[in-house]
Amino acid sequence: MGMIDEARRTVLVVGANGFIGGYIAAALQRAGFRVLRGVRGSGEPHADERFIDLARMTTPADWRSTLAGVHIVVNAAGILRETGAKTFDAIHMRGPLALAQACVDVGVSRFVQVSALGAPEDGGFIASKHRFDDALLALPLDAVVLRPSVVYATGGSYGGTSLLRALAALPGAQWLPGDGAWPIQPIAIDDIAEVVVAACVADARGVFEIRGPAPMPLSEYQARWRRWLRIPGTRAIHVPASWISAQVRLGEWLGNGPVGETTWRMLRRGNVPREDAHAELHRAFGVAPRSLDAVLAATPSQVQDRWHAQLYFLAPALRWMIVLLWVLSGIAGLVASDTDLRALAGPSALGDALPLARAAGVVDLALAALLAIGWKPRWILGLMFASVLAYTLVFGIALPALWLEPLGGLAKNLLVLPALAVAWVLVDRR
């Protein structure tokens, strides 16, 4: 790898808050670069931040002030699924192309594009990435395109790799999509970051595929993660590929889910680079990516890693149970009779509880609907927590006998409150 000049070259990392971009930014800082983190935001950015929006910054003029003082650009931004203005064309093509053209205009010395391994026919994610790759290399700009295979990290995961780790961590047996024989050549995120650092100063230009040293079937990849997580058992349950295809189609229709059509096609086809890709990468950048065994052996798993993997399926289950509980609570408030409510309130200071019950029922149903569609889930969970806390305090003081009622209705709120807090924490899932 070349030397960084005395001026400490400045690198703008686009997508620095993302899974891959965060590791790249950290590796560049360790290597002695000054890193500017290109992130979405509002208000006043920190000294090491530049606020950007690929969906809106679609002309070179939009980028020129952002590039002030920048010597190198690394683009690690990307989306797995289209939502609103965040389309594949906007985030993967039009925004980055305007950025690259601005780099030509202001004299940025190097552009490193973190793309994706695959074929355009796999789907819009890959096709849009590769369209920009071609447009970038056609510009009069010193540029390199890196296309990684399946990416993993011992410290965290994202998207489909989170799902695979969760499947490997299931108690009793791990679940495998199809026959588990599809070949992959996984690459550690730290090794990708090392390649990016080298690419910032190397003389190489063009497209380079990044992968681990040898292919392996998906079943072996999963088994090694299970051993690393220290979860006993080698039994595997094979899930028919048709079932997974149906789930993927449902997730695409709903606009969420861990695996999209593109990832599913790539997995079935086999996410394996060209045979000479490993040697070509080493010649260009002097980096030899490590095997999965070497990476896992270098970082022993901790209990938090098992928490992360095993909470993957529990988090959405908890969310939907909360939705169901609020729906039932709302219905109960709307159908309860005045006689029952008067009997419940008795001679307490609560008085006529019917209007309050009806209003609470409507609010509960509204909160359930908003949480179900994912509208500002932290706000909704916070309102749910506040309402349960208020209900518990008011009824617990006004009607203390409810604490010891046969089915423990009020006492169960002592479990509901921390469950809501856990759901609030688990909103940030990747």
Side-chain angles (χ1 to χ4, degrees):
M1 187 177 76
M3 297 296 293
I4 303 171
D5 65 24
E6 293 181 1
R8 266 193 93 205
R9 306 198 114 188
T10 299
V11 184
L12 172 67
V13 180
V14 180
N17 279 354
F19 176 57
I20 293 178
Y23 276 88
I24 289 173
L28 287 165
Q29 286 179 317
R30 288 195 300 270
F33 289 93
R34 175 176 177 246
V35 175
L36 294 176
R37 303 169 61 85
V39 298
R40 295 191 71 207
S42 58
E44 188 68 24
H46 294 293
D48 65 342
E49 289 181 335
R50 298 279 171 91
F51 286 163
I52 61 173
D53 188 343
L54 287 165
R56 297 179 181 275
M57 300 171 71
T58 56
T59 68
D62 295 331
W63 289 96
R64 288 185 186 126
S65 62
T66 303
L67 293 174
V70 172
H71 301 97
I72 302 168
V73 168
V74 175
N75 179 32
I79 55 172
L80 296 176
R81 192 172 274 111
E82 296 181 311
T83 56
K86 292 184 178 182
T87 64
F88 290 138
D89 184 61
I91 304 301
H92 296 165
M93 177 63 186
R94 287 187 286 117
L97 183 57
L99 168 60
Q101 290 168 337
C103 288
V104 174
D105 295 343
V106 303
V108 167
S109 63
R110 186 73 160 161
F111 194 113
V112 179
Q113 159 73 355
V114 181
S115 185
L117 184 65
E121 56 267 26
D122 286 329
F125 171 80
I126 298 295
S128 58
K129 283 274 190 181
H130 288 195
R131 281 199 303 273
F132 172 65
D133 298 347
D134 294 339
L136 173 65
L137 295 174
L139 293 174
L141 179 64
D142 192 11
V144 63
V145 173
L146 305 174
R147 292 178 177 171
S149 180
V150 174
V151 181
Y152 67 89
T154 53
S157 58
Y158 181 76
T161 54
S162 292
L163 173 62
L164 291 176
R165 189 179 300 192
L167 290 170
L170 287 172
Q174 63 170 315
W175 290 41
L176 288 172
D179 59 9
W182 298 311
I184 60 174
Q185 215 153 333
I187 176 75
I189 185 66
D190 302 282
D191 291 343
I192 293 177
E194 187 178 353
V195 172
V196 170
V197 171
C200 286
V201 293
D203 295 327
R205 192 178 190 278
V207 177
F208 297 88
E209 296 178 346
I210 314 177
R211 44 89 164 178
M216 66 177 65
L218 179 64
S219 58
E220 184 58 31
Y221 176 79
Q222 292 293 89
R224 293 180 188 185
W225 278 106
R226 189 175 182 86
R227 289 196 297 271
W228 183 75
L229 290 167
R230 288 178 278 171
I231 297 174
T234 59
R235 181 169 171 264
I237 297 175
H238 294 269
V239 181
S242 59
W243 292 11
I244 300 174
S245 295
Q247 183 275 324
V248 168
R249 286 193 295 271
L250 178 62
E252 291 286 82
W253 181 71
L254 294 173
N256 57 35
V259 177
E261 289 279 6
T262 298
T263 304
W264 180 226
R265 291 192 196 101
M266 292 168 60
L267 184 63
R268 285 178 292 174
R269 181 172 51 78
N271 197 247
V272 177
R274 302 187 316 269
E275 289 186 7
D276 62 343
H278 200 67
E280 186 180 57
L281 188 76
H282 188 266
R283 285 195 299 270
F285 306 114
V287 178
R290 299 161 295 166
S291 68
L292 176 61
D293 285 340
V295 173
L296 296 183
T299 310
S301 69
Q302 306 297 322
V303 66
Q304 290 84 357
D305 296 304
R306 290 188 288 282
W307 287 352
H308 176 256
Q310 295 180 331
L311 280 170
Y312 184 85
F313 293 114
L314 293 178
L318 176 60
R319 173 189 169 194
W320 285 107
M321 288 302 101
I322 291 171
V323 169
L324 178 59
L325 176 61
W326 253 252
V327 168
L328 294 175
S329 176
I331 293 173
L334 293 177
V335 303
S337 68
D338 190 29
T339 301
D340 291 339
L341 291 171
R342 287 183 184 279
L344 176 65
S348 71
L350 293 177
D352 185 3
L354 184 61
L356 178 62
R358 297 292 187 258
V362 172
V363 170
D364 282 351
L365 290 175
L367 292 175
L370 292 172
L371 184 61
I373 65 174
W375 185 84
K376 295 187 176 180
R378 283 220 160 111
W379 282 74
I380 301 305
L381 289 165
L383 289 173
M384 288 176 167
F385 186 95
S387 66
V388 172
L389 182 60
Y391 173 93
T392 304
L393 292 174
V394 170
F395 280 83
I397 294 171
L399 299 169
L402 290 179
W403 288 107
L404 298 177
E405 69 174 354
L407 297 180
L410 193 61
K412 289 175 181 175
N413 286 352
L414 300 179
L415 178 61
V416 172
L417 288 168
L420 289 168
V422 170
W424 189 90
V425 170
L426 294 178
V427 164
D428 287 333
R429 295 175 64 246
R430 290 187 171 187

